[in-house]
Amino acid sequence: MKKLLLSLALSLGTLSATTVMAAAPAFSASQMSQVKIKDLSFKEVMRQFYSGRMGYASVNDEYVESMPNIGLDSIDSDGERTVALMRPVIPYKNVAGEPRYLVIIEKVQVKDGSLVSCHACTATADLYSFKKLNNGQFQLISKTPKNVDYSSNWGRVGLNQESIQEGLQPLGKSLIGSVFLNNYMSFGTISSWWDVLHLPENDFINLYTLGDAGAENSGHYEEGSPLHYDYNVTFKALPENATYYPIKLTYKGEKPTEDYDRINSVNYSKIVKFDPVKKEYK
């Protein structure tokens, strides 16, 4: 009996380990570098990464039609179809000053030709970074792994093009990335937070939440109301000889307590650091 239980435990352990490995494949720079395309056009990117999944999708939606788009996979049981959109390419430089190019393929849901849009409707995206070779081709540097968790609402992913480009900066001794703003409005209150995009060349591209960026409820209470609050949070990366730079968050304004029992004037800072094991800023 003990032998049977031991054998079963070992089998389950092996199965569990296999599942984890399958869900999180190791990053391989050499495998990435084998991917080369002649240009960063919508046609070339989609043929390289989505072959066998593309098909015609009927679209009559201003947002979807504002970018190159094509249907992915099949229509689901709710009558929805995934449609891939290609954002404009974002040029940037790595920490060595070498030109790089970020490609964002947003994946939204379309039904009866229109974007599936509601307060809780989500979208996702695949991100790819490239460098240009001497022969004019573009070589893949890195990409996002599967199942990256993006903030999104109204059926669109929270990756603002201009904010990402403006927030590009060194975030570690060998790491370039972007700190950019996202927000959400509900019942007259606008809540904001900072997201951090890491663009490494020795690991997968990934997105992390840095922390609170502020909030204000003027859509619900006038400025003279004792229940009105408005505060903002600024950030500053603190360069040092570290893989990931600490980031200082500074809070100013009138901020409610966590239980919303009181509203206090605040002016303080705290430092958050990236935990490479847990993959989070804290």
Side-chain angles (χ1 to χ4, degrees):
M1 183 66 177
K2 288 182 178 179
K3 289 183 178 181
L4 178 60
L5 290 173
L6 179 60
S7 176
L8 179 59
L10 289 172
S11 297
L12 289 172
T14 302
L15 177 61
S16 176
T18 302
T19 302
V20 171
M21 289 177 65
F27 179 86
S28 172
S30 61
Q31 287 184 354
M32 296 285 172
S33 65
Q34 293 173 20
V35 178
K36 300 179 180 70
I37 55 180
K38 69 178 184 180
D39 57 48
L40 297 181
S41 65
F42 180 61
K43 180 172 75 173
E44 291 300 314
V45 170
M46 295 306 295
R47 283 181 174 179
Q48 174 62 48
F49 298 108
Y50 303 92
S51 287
R53 297 178 57 192
M54 295 180 287
Y56 174 76
S58 176
V59 176
N60 184 24
D61 183 274
E62 184 178 353
Y63 177 71
V64 176
E65 290 183 298
S66 69
M67 289 169 275
N69 65 83
I70 197 163
L72 284 184
D73 306 323
S74 56
I75 299 175
D76 66 18
S77 58
D78 293 325
E80 296 181 8
R81 176 78 177 274
T82 300
V83 173
L85 322 174
M86 183 169 170
R87 303 276 192 89
V89 176
I90 299 177
Y92 67 99
K93 292 183 179 179
N94 64 10
V95 291
E98 300 165 331
R100 297 291 185 260
Y101 305 89
L102 179 64
V103 171
I104 300 176
I105 301 295
E106 183 177 7
K107 295 182 290 187
V108 301
Q109 298 301 306
V110 169
K111 184 175 182 178
D112 298 328
S114 298
L115 179 71
V116 178
S117 179
C118 65
H119 218 28
C121 292
T122 61
T124 186
D126 299 325
L127 277 60
Y128 307 91
S129 59
F130 293 87
K131 72 175 181 180
K132 191 173 185 179
L133 302 176
N134 292 333
N135 63 5
Q137 289 187 318
F138 289 83
Q139 177 184 298
L140 183 66
I141 296 292
S142 184
K143 64 179 182 178
T144 44
K146 292 182 179 180
N147 304 319
V148 174
D149 187 20
Y150 298 95
S151 58
S152 57
N153 57 69
W154 298 111
R156 306 179 187 183
V157 74
L159 293 170
N160 183 275
Q161 199 86 4
E162 293 182 2
S163 295
I164 291 175
Q165 195 145 20
E166 290 174 1
L168 285 164
Q169 61 190 282
L171 295 175
K173 63 180 182 181
S174 300
L175 175 67
I176 199 77
S178 177
V179 182
F180 61 98
L181 193 67
N182 256 310
N183 55 53
Y184 182 82
M185 183 173 182
S186 179
F187 301 107
T189 298
I190 299 176
S191 301
S192 303
W193 66 95
W194 294 112
D195 276 333
V196 184
L197 179 65
H198 283 185
L199 297 169
E201 302 196 358
N202 59 352
D203 201 351
F204 290 106
I205 296 172
N206 223 320
L207 186 72
Y208 309 96
T209 299
L210 176 63
D212 185 10
E216 58 97 1
N217 64 352
S218 58
H220 197 58
Y221 296 104
E222 294 183 357
E223 191 172 343
S225 169
L227 293 177
H228 173 266
Y229 60 82
D230 184 357
Y231 71 98
N232 64 80
V233 185
T234 57
F235 74 90
K236 183 180 181 181
L238 305 175
E240 59 180 45
N241 187 26
T243 303
Y244 304 99
Y245 293 161
I247 298 178
K248 182 170 73 172
L249 298 175
T250 300
Y251 296 70
K252 289 184 179 181
E254 295 185 327
K255 183 178 183 297
T257 55
E258 289 189 9
D259 58 7
Y260 288 86
D261 190 48
R262 294 182 60 84
I263 298 173
N264 301 317
S265 293
V266 296
N267 186 355
Y268 68 92
S269 298
K270 71 175 186 179
I271 292 177
V272 294
K273 296 183 177 182
F274 184 70
D275 185 330
V277 177
K278 294 184 177 180
K279 299 289 185 180
E280 64 181 14
Y281 280 92
K282 60 179 184 178

